[in-house]
Amino acid sequence: MIAEVRRQFGLAWALADLHLSALSDEDHLWEPGPLVWTVHEDASGQWRPDFADVEPDPVPVPTIGWLTWHMIFWWSNALAHVDGRPPAPHSEIDWPGPAAAVHRIRVLSARWSGLLDSLTDTDLLVPAAFPWGPDSGRSLADMVLWLNVELTKNAAEIGQLRMLRAALRTDG
């Protein structure tokens, strides 16, 4: 199964990298409508995401900046879990800015790819609490497959926002 998981990750990463490579700095903070989740620079120069523990209704449209923060958040925590460290709360995961966010995601991808290369089918059976909690009964396979889906979803959302922004700039 690990060979299939690695191939699935390779495909998801290729889609993500296609869109990440095409981003301009301005794309990250573009707001496609009045109700968005984005990232904000505070007085100390740290970028912080909009976040709610309970998803609001209606759900805000995330900006590309928020989506790249979200990727950094869940990928960092998945790797922390594998390393035996507790996941960090959202308030402790900053967004490093446009170009740095893409770089950080690429570093996380390389670390994740290295992890997948080191795993065997037997390793995938080990219990994994992230992101469901300690009593979930889930395995590392569940976490790895969830991450591949999350990566694909975020890549598609980033791509859609990037293409929508480009289409609106050329409209008229």
Side-chain angles (χ1 to χ4, degrees), residues 51-91:
F51 193 84
D53 289 322
V54 176
E55 196 168 84
D57 182 19
V59 177
V61 176
T63 63
I64 290 172
W66 191 93
L67 289 165
T68 56
W69 166 80
H70 192 240
M71 292 172 76
I72 292 166
F73 170 75
W74 53 253
W75 224 338
S76 297
N77 279 326
L79 285 162
H81 180 74
V82 170
D83 291 340
R85 294 179 284 120
H90 75 276
S91 60

Side-chain angles (χ1 to χ4, degrees), residues 80-153:
H81 180 74
V82 170
D83 291 340
R85 294 179 284 120
H90 75 276
S91 60
E92 291 182 19
I93 306 283
D94 71 322
W95 186 70
V102 170
H103 175 73
R104 190 179 294 176
I105 290 167
R106 286 190 171 122
V107 168
L108 291 166
S109 171
R111 286 187 58 208
W112 190 254
S113 182
L115 169 70
L116 293 179
D117 287 345
S118 74
L119 295 176
T120 66
D121 285 347
T122 303
D123 294 329
L124 293 176
L125 302 175
V126 172
F130 182 79
W132 305 280
D135 299 324
S136 67
R138 301 289 185 108
S139 68
L140 186 57
D142 291 309
M143 186 181 76
V144 168
L145 293 168
W146 165 81
L147 195 137
N148 285 350
V149 169
E150 192 70 22
L151 177 60
T152 303
K153 177 191 78 70

